[in-house]
Amino acid sequence: VARVYLYIQSIVYLTRGRILERRGMECACFAFFYIWFAALMCQMPTWGAMMAYFLISHAVAGILHVQITISHFPMPTYTNMEMDNDSETFFKTQLATSLNVSCPWYMDWFHGGLQFQIEHHLFPHIPRHNLRKVHPIIRDFCEEMGWKHHSVSFFEANRMVISHLYEVSKKTPNMRFTDTKLYDLLCARG
């Protein structure tokens, strides 16, 4: 359901949003995606198979969204566009803003390799099946340098996300949702 809502909001944003630069390119890319996805769906032999493909493909994408959420939401957000000093190097920024999820090797497929978010951010071109091999090298290097390498269990990562969302909600007790930038974004006004 959330994925379909994102499709709808994308169309609303393109048609009513304030996007001015490259609107034609954005529309062309969205049109290509929708035509491609419809053509792919039409390859299914029956309506039932079409619906099964649609639901399963979106459920699998949901797993990816959970992984991205638990690897980023509980961590600090880096907003500075320029490095001010040696404490803000690319390497240290990735360590500070990413969270690894500790899990056994047989869970790698479900996480898509993204449970090694720190290593993925440091070396985005390493194939995901090699991230588990790189992980101890990076972890040991961080330990040697005295830097924090954040890695927690799947359940602890979810607890951290919920805790972070709770803390954020406490900072806005009197704010009306309609006055937020999120509301503007969801209504394609931002």
Side-chain angles (χ1 to χ4, degrees), residues 39-112:
L40 182 65
M41 296 278 293
C42 288
Q43 301 303 309
M44 301 295 144
T46 65
W47 281 101
M50 228 184 262
M51 286 307 297
Y53 174 79
F54 181 84
L55 294 173
I56 291 170
S57 67
H58 285 69
V60 170
I63 294 170
L64 177 64
H65 291 174
V66 168
Q67 179 61 54
I68 291 169
T69 299
I70 64 177
S71 295
H72 292 94
F73 276 32
M75 303 307 289
T77 303
Y78 187 79
T79 56
N80 192 6
M81 297 305 289
E82 296 180 11
M83 305 288 181
D84 288 336
N85 55 50
D86 287 342
S87 70
E88 297 180 348
T89 64
F90 175 78
F91 197 99
K92 288 182 182 179
T93 301
Q94 301 316 306
L95 289 173
T97 60
S98 300
L99 176 69
N100 280 5
V101 177
S102 302
C103 66
W105 65 268
Y106 56 84
M107 294 297 290
D108 286 359
W109 184 87
F110 292 103
H111 291 279

Side-chain angles (χ1 to χ4, degrees), residues 123-143:
F123 308 104
H125 296 291
I126 290 180
R128 67 175 184 235
H129 63 274
N130 287 330
L131 290 170
R132 185 170 286 280
K133 296 173 187 171
V134 173
H135 170 71
I137 297 168
I138 300 300
R139 184 194 60 224
D140 293 348
F141 176 75
C142 290
E143 186 177 318

Side-chain angles (χ1 to χ4, degrees), residues 111-162:
H111 291 279
L114 294 178
Q115 74 273 28
F116 300 111
Q117 197 65 214
I118 293 169
E119 291 75 12
H120 167 68
H121 278 224
L122 289 172
F123 308 104
H125 296 291
I126 290 180
R128 67 175 184 235
H129 63 274
N130 287 330
L131 290 170
R132 185 170 286 280
K133 296 173 187 171
V134 173
H135 170 71
I137 297 168
I138 300 300
R139 184 194 60 224
D140 293 348
F141 176 75
C142 290
E143 186 177 318
E144 183 180 314
M145 298 300 292
W147 300 336
K148 179 76 173 147
H149 185 279
H150 302 278
S151 186
V152 298
S153 72
F154 177 78
F155 296 106
E156 176 61 14
N158 279 283
R159 189 204 62 75
M160 290 170 69
V161 168
I162 292 168

Side-chain angles (χ1 to χ4, degrees), residues 154-171:
F154 177 78
F155 296 106
E156 176 61 14
N158 279 283
R159 189 204 62 75
M160 290 170 69
V161 168
I162 292 168
S163 175
H164 179 70
L165 292 174
Y166 175 72
E167 291 301 318
V168 169
S169 73
K170 288 189 334 188
K171 294 177 182 176

